[in-house]
Amino acid sequence: MDGRGHRPRTKRQAEKWKRELERFRTVQRQIKKEAPDILSSGNFQRTKEYIQHGSMTVNDHVLSVARCSLAISAGLHISCSRRELIRGALLHDYFLYDWHVPDKENPHTLHGFYHPGTALRNALREYKLTDREKDIIKKHMWPLTVVPPRCREAWIVTTADKWCSLMETLHMRRGHGAILQKLRKY
């Protein structure tokens, strides 16, 4: 046991951990390569200020959805545009407000129905989007959006978003949002 009461990793566990870390780093490099403009945007950085599900920030959530989308595409051998998949995943919740807190203009009671349109309008103000990227953002809340996605990339992101949201809501995946909430109280 180490000083924290944990058993040291076995060699096999350490090797598995290293493989997982390398896989994570590879995916992170791919996301950075395909979307440097989005990742460095001031508005995208603002997504770190808003809680999405549980203690996850919107920023943590969209990055998780991008990673999960890539895993689904690779794991199921679905041929698609990885660039558009990544960019659409990063912008699918680009609504730029705290939907948990009603404001003077909008009580956000129907956030699930309306935020895809808001995210798309915000993304179009900043980025030149392809039709697939627009479809991903606009339809990621299907079946709430009624019209289903038209392309593989949108179906993949829709699926990844549902999975990540479930894990975050059930607190099976935690983010740094709790720290932000504590800081806001002071």
Side-chain angles (χ1 to χ4, degrees):
M1 297 270 183
D2 66 10
R4 295 176 299 178
H6 297 117
R7 286 192 196 116
R9 288 190 176 106
T10 65
K11 186 175 181 179
R12 185 174 170 193
Q13 289 170 325
E15 288 171 6
K16 181 181 177 187
W17 184 84
K18 285 179 188 176
R19 283 191 308 272
E20 291 294 322
L21 180 61
E22 188 50 44
R23 198 172 311 149
F24 177 83
R25 287 180 175 163
T26 300
V27 169
Q28 287 297 102
R29 282 192 295 272
Q30 188 174 12
I31 291 169
K32 286 179 184 177
K33 177 185 168 213
E34 299 297 353
D37 56 331
I38 294 171
L39 296 171
S40 64
S41 153
N43 276 334
F44 187 78
Q45 292 301 311
R46 280 182 47 208
T47 63
K48 293 177 181 177
E49 299 171 14
Y50 308 120
I51 300 298
Q52 180 66 333
H53 308 111
S55 63
M56 294 287 279
T57 65
V58 173
N59 187 278
D60 290 333
H61 169 72
V62 298
L63 286 165
S64 291
V65 171
R67 287 189 295 269
C68 186
S69 296
L70 288 168
I72 290 170
S73 171
L76 297 177
H77 307 288
I78 300 171
S79 171
C80 67
S81 167
R82 292 186 182 248
R83 177 179 171 77
E84 290 170 305
L85 182 75
I86 290 167
R87 295 176 68 81
L90 292 176
L91 294 171
H92 82 276
D93 280 341
Y94 204 57
F95 44 81
L96 304 174
Y97 59 80
D98 187 346
W99 64 272
H100 300 91
V101 180
D103 57 41
K104 291 178 185 176
E105 295 174 23
N106 191 337
H108 307 303
T109 53
L110 298 174
H111 170 76
F113 291 93
Y114 296 115
H115 83 271
T118 304
L120 181 58
R121 283 190 300 279
N122 288 340
L124 284 169
R125 284 187 198 118
E126 280 187 67
Y127 310 102
K128 184 169 174 28
L129 301 176
T130 66
D131 287 340
R132 284 184 181 147
E133 291 164 350
K134 291 176 194 173
D135 195 51
I136 291 168
I137 298 165
K138 190 175 179 181
K139 313 262 182 70
H140 79 274
M141 285 301 289
W142 184 82
L144 295 182
T145 56
V146 183
V147 179
R150 289 180 306 156
C151 62
R152 292 175 191 164
E153 292 82 359
W155 280 108
I156 293 168
V157 171
T158 298
T159 303
D161 183 45
K162 304 286 183 267
W163 176 253
C164 290
S165 297
L166 176 66
M167 294 295 103
E168 294 160 12
T169 301
L170 296 177
H171 301 286
M172 296 178 83
R173 207 178 270 166
R174 298 179 192 269
H176 300 292
I179 296 167
L180 289 174
Q181 282 181 332
K182 287 178 186 174
L183 291 174
R184 285 186 196 149
K185 291 179 183 176
Y186 298 106

